Every structure is written in C-alpha cells, then in structure tokens.
Amino acid sequence: MMKKIGSLRNLRTFSSLKNSAYRIYFYGLLGQWASMNMQMVARSYLAYHLTGSGTILGLVSLANAIPMLVLSLPGGAIADRIPKKYILVYTQLGSVLLTLGVALSLTFGYLSQENEGSWWVLVAASAIEGVFMGLMMPSRQAVISEIVDGEHIMNAVSLNTMGMNALRILAPAATGFLIEGIGYEFVYYVATTMYVLATICMFLLPRTTVKYTGSGNALKDIADGMQYLKREKSILLVIVATFFMMLCSIPFMQLMPMFTEDILHVGESGMGILMSVSGAGAIIGSVTLASIPSRKRGIIMLSAGAVMAAALVAFSFSSSWALSIFLVIFVGLGQASHRTAGNSLIQHYTEPEYRGRVMSFMMMEIGFSSLGVFFAGILADVIGIQWSVGGLAILLLFVTVILVTTTKRLRTME
C-alpha cells in the first residue's frame, strides 16, 4: 500500500509527536502558552485602563522578572531532586488558582476603575506568576530529554518553539477581540481553562526517573551546578551566547511601539503586522530546524545569531515600512533558530543529574532580559530608540563574530 503523500506521520518535522509522552507534553505546553500570552496582553491593557500610567506598566513587568531571577537557580536544584512531572503539575495548578483569582476579582467588581488602587492585584498576580515560572521553567525544559531520545531532542525543542511562536501570533490578536467584544473577565476565565487543560496534560505524563546524586543541601547543589558549568566550557559558551542574544534582542520586541509611532509612523495596526511577521519568521526557523538532522548545531546557533543581529541593526535604522517588514522576518527567524539550537545543545551535552540546574541558568536569562528592557527604555529617552536598540544589535553582532572566530569548541558542537 502506497504511503499517503503529505501525511504528517511521514514528515521528519513532526517526528517527535509520534512519541506519546512528548505528544501529551506538547499539548500541555500549548495550553500553558496560550494562557500566558492571553494574560500578558490582558494584564497590560487592563493595568493601563485602570491607571493610565506607564510607570505601573513597567512595575507589572518588573514584578514578574524579579522572582524569575531569584528562583530560577533554586528551581533548577529542585528539578534535579524530584520527578519533574510533579513540579510541573503543582506549579500549573498554582497558575490555575492564580488566574481564577484575578477572574473572580473582576467578576465581583473589586478590580475596577471605581475601586482606586485595585491595580495592586495585577502587580501581585504578575509577581506570583514569576514565582511559578522561576520554579517551573527549568523542569519544563529539562524534562524534554527524559521523554524523547537524543536523536529527537532538537526536533522536540524546535516543535516547542514553533508552538510558542504560533501562539505569540494568534493569542494576542484573539485576546484583543475578546476584550473588545466581551471584556477582560471572559479572557481570564478562558485563560484559566487553558491552564486547567495544561495541568491535566502534565498529570498524564509518565513519571521520570530522578538521577540526583547530590548532598541534600540546595545551596550546595546550586554551587555544584556552577562548578559543573566551570568545568564544562562548551556548555558555558552556549549559555553565554544565548545570554547575549536574549539581552540584545528582547528590547526590540518590548519597545516596538516607539518604532511604529516615532520612526515608521504606522501606529498600532502596523505594530501588530510587524509582531506577526516576526512571529512568522520565528515559525519558519523552528520548522526548518525540526526538519533537519541534529548535526552542526553549534554553527547553526552562531549563524542564526549573526543573521538576527545584522537584520536587527538594519531594522533599527530603517525608516522604510516595506524594508522594515522584510527585515523583521529575519529577526524572528534568527532569534528562534539561535535559541532552539542552543537549547538542544544544552539538553544533549549536559549530564542528566545536572540538567535541571543547567537549564535554570538559561531561564535566568529571561529575567535579565526584562531588566535589559527597562534600561534600554531609559537609554532610548537619552539617545533615541534607533541607537538604543541598534547599539545592542551591534554589540550582539560583535560578540557573535568573536565567538565564531575564537571558539572552535563551540563551532564544532554537533
């Protein structure tokens, strides 16, 4: 019998989905990211609606970043101590209760313009979400290599990135329509439902084996993780490369309104187009990496960083709408490809008993990038948005060239 042409089961791109455990994990991931993206948009709009203050918006973002920075390393130590499935289940359950709490505060009228000062609920919810993310993210990343074999790690990580970027395009747009048509309250109930589905999926995951051989002291475990990175120079180089990519590229996303309003003069609709096009580029990068063999990942990561940096430099100083749309495709493609290749390298090369702690260093980069946005915004007020974001992109390009020319160890990682 002839194989069906175009069957998803015959495509290497989706090979990890043949693994039932990964399939459950992937569905749970989609539920979580759908909820997170919906809340990210709703929380920002609602905070501004209640206060009209940009400072409060910044406070909401900062409240989320600080717990992630503080708890990522302990989260990695915990991930190496107990089955990652349980960490995922309990933190997701906490997210369900948190999101439901915000929904109920809207339903009963506490969180409203009439109740002055009620915006503290959004700041507190953002901070608690940061706590859950700091504890959850190392386990969520490290568990991949426990449910798929080494050959499929890059494919699995690529599918994760593809799913997250697809929701980055779809969820914000859907949230905007829901807010306008039904209201914030309904958005939070939908987000709660998405978290419930994600929690069920994590509960259905098989229990993985703990390979922890540490001392029983969390602080010593963290110190041991740092010593491990000091010994494993290749893994440390991947983390350094990823850190610079995050630090120099995330401000571009968060400060996009300054480009669309002051440089390109295309307003909010233009910003939506640029964000969607960037997300589409990220999906292209993720699908491409999911479709190729897991080889030459070191050079793929470095090449993707160079492409993204060069495109971001050109975008920063562009005043042409058509050129900016074209360039932002490569910004998204390079960003997703760099992070996917780097993540899969760390999953592959890190010893199982250290994997949670090593991934926690990767997760800290998210918190640092939020702080980077804060300082990039201040810099934009002093020297302008183009030199603020463009300068960071030039720095990233410079660091990438140095890594390419001086680190054969990183270039040759498979």
Side-chain angles (χ1 to χ4, degrees):
M1 184 176 178
M2 294 181 63
K3 294 182 179 180
K4 293 182 179 180
I5 298 176
S7 170
L8 294 182
R9 299 180 68 87
N10 296 327
L11 290 177
R12 180 183 177 86
T13 306
F14 301 96
S15 60
S16 293
L17 291 176
K18 296 177 182 178
N19 180 322
S20 60
Y22 177 77
R23 197 159 55 239
I24 293 170
Y25 168 85
F26 182 73
Y27 294 152
L29 183 79
L30 293 182
Q32 179 190 357
W33 277 91
S35 181
M36 286 179 60
N37 278 281
M38 292 179 73
Q39 289 187 76
M40 190 182 304
V41 174
R43 188 164 55 225
S44 296
Y45 272 107
L46 183 55
Y48 193 74
H49 176 72
L50 293 176
T51 67
S53 170
T55 301
I56 299 300
L57 282 177
L59 184 61
V60 169
S61 178
L62 191 62
N64 186 258
I66 291 175
M68 282 198 288
L69 281 173
V70 173
L71 293 174
S72 288
L73 292 181
I78 293 170
D80 288 331
R81 285 169 169 267
I82 63 177
K84 298 170 184 63
K85 166 182 175 174
Y86 297 148
I87 299 171
L88 295 172
V89 169
Y90 290 125
T91 52
Q92 294 277 35
L93 184 58
S95 296
V96 170
L97 297 175
L98 176 64
T99 309
L100 180 61
V102 177
L104 291 173
S105 70
L106 287 164
T107 297
F108 291 105
Y110 178 80
L111 188 56
S112 64
Q113 283 183 313
E114 290 72 27
N115 189 7
E116 188 176 353
S118 61
W119 52 266
W120 74 267
V121 172
L122 298 176
V123 176
S126 182
I128 296 171
E129 183 186 76
V131 170
F132 291 145
M133 289 292 289
L135 295 174
M136 175 205 311
M137 290 288 279
S139 292
R140 197 184 71 185
Q141 295 295 323
V143 77
I144 294 174
S145 55
E146 297 183 7
I147 57 179
V148 301
D149 57 46
E151 180 186 352
H152 291 94
I153 287 177
M154 189 163 83
N155 178 266
V157 173
S158 299
L159 288 178
N160 281 13
T161 307
M162 180 177 66
M164 289 186 288
N165 283 301
L167 289 168
R168 195 177 85 189
I169 296 173
L170 299 175
T175 302
F177 284 118
L178 287 173
I179 291 172
E180 185 176 344
I182 305 176
Y184 295 102
E185 183 179 330
F186 183 75
V187 169
Y188 273 95
Y189 281 118
V190 172
T192 301
T193 303
M194 292 295 101
Y195 265 138
V196 169
L197 295 176
T199 304
I200 292 172
C201 288
M202 295 304 110
F203 181 78
L204 294 174
L205 279 178
R207 185 182 184 276
T208 53
T209 302
V210 178
K211 297 180 173 62
Y212 169 69
T213 57
S215 63
N217 184 305
L219 291 177
K220 186 177 186 305
D221 290 345
I222 293 172
D224 288 344
M226 292 179 177
Q227 289 298 317
Y228 176 76
L229 280 180
K230 188 176 179 180
R231 294 194 305 271
E232 299 295 332
K233 297 293 194 299
S234 296
I235 298 173
L236 181 60
L237 284 171
V238 174
I239 290 177
V240 169
T242 305
F243 171 77
F244 274 99
M245 188 277 292
M246 293 285 288
L247 184 68
C248 297
S249 67
I250 295 299
F252 146 78
M253 302 293 293
Q254 299 297 324
L255 301 176
M256 181 70 78
M258 299 184 75
F259 282 104
T260 55
E261 291 293 330
D262 302 334
I263 307 299
L264 301 173
H265 307 292
V266 293
E268 294 178 357
S269 60
M271 185 180 76
I273 292 172
L274 286 174
M275 296 291 281
S276 295
V277 170
S278 175
I283 291 176
I284 292 171
S286 302
V287 171
T288 301
L289 289 185
S291 305
I292 63 176
S294 296
R295 292 195 290 268
K296 307 295 183 183
R297 285 174 286 186
I299 197 65
I300 288 173
M301 181 187 71
L302 293 171
S303 300
V307 168
M308 190 204 71
L312 189 51
V313 171
F315 173 86
S316 298
F317 296 102
S318 168
S319 57
S320 166
W321 174 232
L323 178 60
S324 296
I325 291 177
F326 175 74
L327 290 169
V328 84
I329 295 174
F330 294 95
V331 174
L333 187 153
Q335 188 179 51
S337 300
H338 187 290
R339 188 155 181 81
T340 299
N343 195 325
S344 63
L345 281 171
I346 289 176
Q347 298 266 5
H348 179 76
Y349 281 93
T350 303
E351 295 175 26
E353 60 267 31
Y354 288 100
R355 197 169 284 136
R357 280 165 284 179
V358 170
M359 292 308 301
S360 70
F361 285 97
M362 291 279 284
M363 296 306 103
M364 284 184 69
E365 294 168 358
I366 298 175
F368 276 116
S369 66
S370 296
L371 293 178
V373 172
F374 176 71
F375 289 111
I378 295 175
L379 194 61
D381 288 335
V382 177
I383 63 175
I385 184 61
Q386 291 180 298
W387 276 107
S388 175
V389 172
L392 288 173
I394 292 171
L395 173 63
L396 176 60
L397 187 59
F398 177 72
V399 170
T400 302
V401 170
I402 290 177
L403 289 174
V404 169
T405 55
T406 63
T407 57
K408 181 179 179 181
R409 184 199 303 260
L410 187 55
R411 292 198 309 271
T412 56
M413 289 181 77
E414 292 289 334

